[in-house]
Amino acid sequence: MTQTALQNIHLIATGGSIMHNLALALHQKGLTITGSDDEIFEPAQSRLKAAGLLPAQEGWFPEKITSQLDAVIVGMHARPDNPELLKAQELGLPVYSFPEFIYEQSRNKQRVVIGGSHGKTSITSIIMHVLKHHNWLFDYAVGAQLEGFDNMVKLTEEAPIIIIEGDEYLSSPIQRVPKFHLYHHHIGVISGISWDHINVFPDPDTYRKQFRIFTDMTPKAGVIIYNQDDEQVLRVCVPRNPDVKFIGYSAHEHEVYNGVTYLTTKKENIPLQIFGEHNLQNISAAKEVCKQLGIKSQGFYEAVATFKGAARRLELLGSHGTVRVYKDFAHAPSKVMATTQAIKDQFPERKLVACLELHTFSSLNKDFLPQYQQTLNAADVPIVYFNPKTLEHKRMPALAAADITQAFGNEKIQVFTDSQALADYLKSLRWENQNLLLMSSGTYNNMDLGELATAILS
């Protein structure tokens, strides 16, 4: 699918995090792009507006779908009965999910796909950072905004490689298969497996099976790079195919001095700007991918020393004296445990106040909540927040504080359902020699985390 084959493309649900980045990438490629959505938030709204791609009004307009379109791309936010989608199907237009379209745009490229319940954004980010550091030409699709990259998606005719973050969630409302099954990787990574998305994968076996399918899709002479310290990963990465190269990895050897993590290598110790056992695993995974692509160890270490991390992944909101405030996108149990432990290990002499917002369908599901058992135990002051209105919006049963403390197996947990009350409590604490960690894929009911950090640090 080349630029000459496609000129006019319409995106249904163009305001999504990855979808609006795709719209920008295709626009920059010189294609005519239109789109619709029933709600568009920042930063998508401003970015689409600056490019002249913001829909005149929110909503769905089937009259936008005409036979003049070369293709329609539908985002996961749309429903199967979306009027624009129905019109496209009625007209017989080519309809693609995001991963299908990325694959079509990269058929002639070497495709590297990073999958896993946790760590995939960071691994993808590290690889991209290293390739850019060495001036390699490559395309990409990643789930977070990265320093030094204008968009989260880049598609060109020239690049011989594409680096893709491979989400296991569903591809589209009409194509209910995991995204990472549709990229057809040459090099695949599985960073970890921890049951998630209970609304789609009702039990751990069904969830784990998706990674088995991903592994079995590896072509002849392909490569699977896997976390050999993850028991669930080992269950799907048994080297059954002699035509596929299996490479296991563990956390990179390291030492910590005065709050700084150093990679230990044969030649020298490399200071990092990131930390945590999970990030040391991510670095090892990225190093193995870069090795397969042709970057030697010395070149990798040179580049990774300047990597500052992906947006919303252990992002430092501010620091003063013996106090630091971090926010992190962690929401799944494995991510919550890894992130909380990482900060405690990095600053063992400081108390840790760790706040988790339950925001996703899985995290608010009473049947799934026990997966959070002991995930906040590394925190000295563990806090869980959820907004009852989110439960109402998702049409889910109410939760009680006792449900949460029992599921987490931690009687120290304080439960808040009012974001202002939570902010007031945090501001009331004595913050000397303490760190604050705010974890969520949501917004704490639109709490101004920057203002909160400023108040705490002052």
Side-chain angles (χ1 to χ4, degrees):
M1 184 180 294
T2 63
Q3 181 170 330
T4 54
L6 290 177
Q7 284 298 328
N8 301 299
I9 302 176
H10 183 82
L11 278 69
I12 300 175
T14 193
S17 175
I18 197 72
M19 286 288 283
H20 91 270
N21 275 277
L22 176 59
L24 294 171
L26 296 176
H27 174 69
Q28 291 171 359
K29 198 174 178 181
L31 306 184
T32 301
I33 303 301
T34 58
S36 297
D37 211 323
D38 58 354
E39 53 182 6
I40 301 178
F41 302 110
E42 295 294 352
Q45 188 174 74
S46 295
R47 299 184 77 209
L48 289 172
K49 185 176 181 179
L53 299 177
L54 185 67
Q57 60 186 119
E58 293 183 348
W60 310 114
F61 304 94
E63 61 270 20
K64 289 185 177 182
I65 310 300
T66 71
S67 58
Q68 302 303 309
L69 291 173
D70 298 313
V72 171
I73 306 172
V74 58
M76 193 57 212
H77 169 62
R79 296 181 181 277
D81 61 353
N82 181 283
E84 294 187 6
L85 175 57
L86 294 177
K87 180 69 176 295
Q89 292 171 325
E90 179 187 326
L91 292 176
L93 295 174
V95 177
Y96 298 94
S97 62
F98 175 85
E100 275 185 311
F101 188 81
I102 294 296
Y103 169 67
E104 291 295 341
Q105 290 279 295
S106 59
R107 276 181 176 270
N108 298 322
K109 303 177 188 294
Q110 184 179 27
R111 292 179 298 280
V112 179
V113 179
I114 295 87
S117 307
H118 44 264
K120 53 185 175 287
T121 300
S122 294
I123 296 170
T124 308
S125 305
I126 295 168
I127 296 167
M128 288 169 55
H129 178 83
V130 172
L131 295 182
K132 183 178 181 183
H133 181 88
H134 291 289
N135 299 312
W136 280 42
L137 189 64
F138 64 99
D139 288 347
Y140 54 83
V142 63
Q145 195 66 49
L146 307 181
E147 183 175 319
F149 294 87
D150 293 334
N151 294 331
M152 292 157 58
V153 177
K154 183 177 181 182
L155 297 169
T156 66
E157 300 296 327
E158 301 80 20
I161 302 168
I162 184 168
I163 311 298
I164 303 170
E165 179 181 341
D167 189 356
E168 73 274 18
Y169 198 65
L170 300 180
S171 300
S172 83
I174 58 172
Q175 194 172 33
R176 300 181 67 80
V177 297
K179 293 186 182 77
F180 69 166
H181 290 178
L182 300 179
Y183 294 121
H184 303 287
H185 60 279
H186 300 107
I187 299 174
V189 176
I190 300 182
S191 61
I193 300 175
S194 179
W195 182 34
D196 200 0
H197 310 305
I198 189 175
N199 55 321
V200 177
F201 309 113
D203 55 72
D205 288 341
T206 304
Y207 182 74
R208 185 172 55 245
K209 181 181 178 183
Q210 311 313 311
F211 293 90
R212 165 67 79 185
I213 293 170
F214 175 75
T215 301
D216 290 345
M217 292 178 72
T218 308
K220 189 173 184 177
V223 179
I224 282 289
I225 297 167
Y226 64 96
N227 183 352
Q228 63 187 15
D229 294 334
D230 188 301
E231 181 182 343
Q232 297 300 312
V233 172
L234 291 178
R235 292 178 67 176
V236 305
C237 286
V238 178
R240 298 187 303 174
N241 187 345
D243 295 326
V244 171
K245 188 176 185 180
F246 287 80
I247 302 172
Y249 69 87
S250 301
H252 199 291
E253 293 183 359
H254 63 284
E255 296 178 352
V256 179
Y257 302 122
N258 299 322
V260 177
T261 298
Y262 294 80
L263 298 181
T264 54
T265 74
K266 293 179 181 179
K267 292 187 176 181
E268 59 182 329
N269 286 356
I270 311 295
L272 296 176
Q273 299 185 47
I274 57 176
F275 61 87
E277 183 82 4
H278 63 303
N279 274 325
L280 292 159
Q281 291 177 335
N282 297 337
I283 285 170
S284 288
K287 183 173 180 287
E288 291 294 347
V289 171
C290 290
K291 180 180 178 181
Q292 295 300 311
L293 294 176
I295 291 180
K296 295 181 178 179
S297 295
Q298 183 177 348
F300 178 83
Y301 291 132
E302 174 190 304
V304 81
T306 61
F307 179 68
K308 296 180 180 179
R312 299 190 294 173
R313 270 68 176 180
L314 270 178
E315 182 177 338
L316 182 64
L317 293 180
S319 65
H320 181 74
T322 59
V323 184
R324 289 189 170 211
V325 180
Y326 290 92
K327 71 173 180 178
D328 194 277
F329 192 67
H331 53 86
S334 57
K335 299 176 186 177
V336 171
M337 179 178 281
T339 304
T340 306
Q341 191 66 54
I343 292 186
K344 191 61 180 177
D345 290 345
Q346 193 75 0
F347 303 96
E349 76 287 355
R350 298 186 191 178
K351 284 189 174 181
L352 173 59
V353 180
C355 300
L356 168 66
E357 178 183 14
L358 301 179
H359 178 73
T360 65
F361 186 96
S362 293
S363 68
L364 292 167
N365 188 302
K366 284 186 181 181
D367 293 334
F368 187 82
L369 268 178
Q371 300 297 316
Y372 286 95
Q373 185 81 200
Q374 301 183 350
T375 54
L376 287 175
N377 283 13
D380 300 282
V381 181
I383 298 171
V384 172
Y385 163 80
F386 69 91
N387 186 345
K389 290 183 179 179
T390 303
L391 286 161
E392 294 174 13
H393 178 72
K394 296 179 183 291
R395 299 176 183 176
M396 300 177 71
L399 285 175
D403 295 327
I404 292 171
T405 53
Q406 181 179 354
F408 278 75
N410 189 333
E411 292 297 326
K412 293 195 301 180
I413 285 179
Q414 301 178 63
V415 179
F416 286 82
T417 57
D418 183 307
S419 59
Q420 186 58 55
L422 171 60
D424 292 342
Y425 170 75
L426 292 173
K427 291 175 183 178
S428 74
L429 298 177
R430 295 178 62 87
W431 280 100
E432 184 178 353
N433 207 38
Q434 289 195 104
N435 289 332
L436 172 61
L437 169 61
L438 298 158
M439 295 176 283
S440 179
S441 59
T443 64
Y444 286 91
N445 196 27
N446 296 315
M447 185 191 298
D448 188 334
L449 300 185
E451 186 276 330
L452 174 65
T454 300
I456 287 171
L457 295 170
S458 63

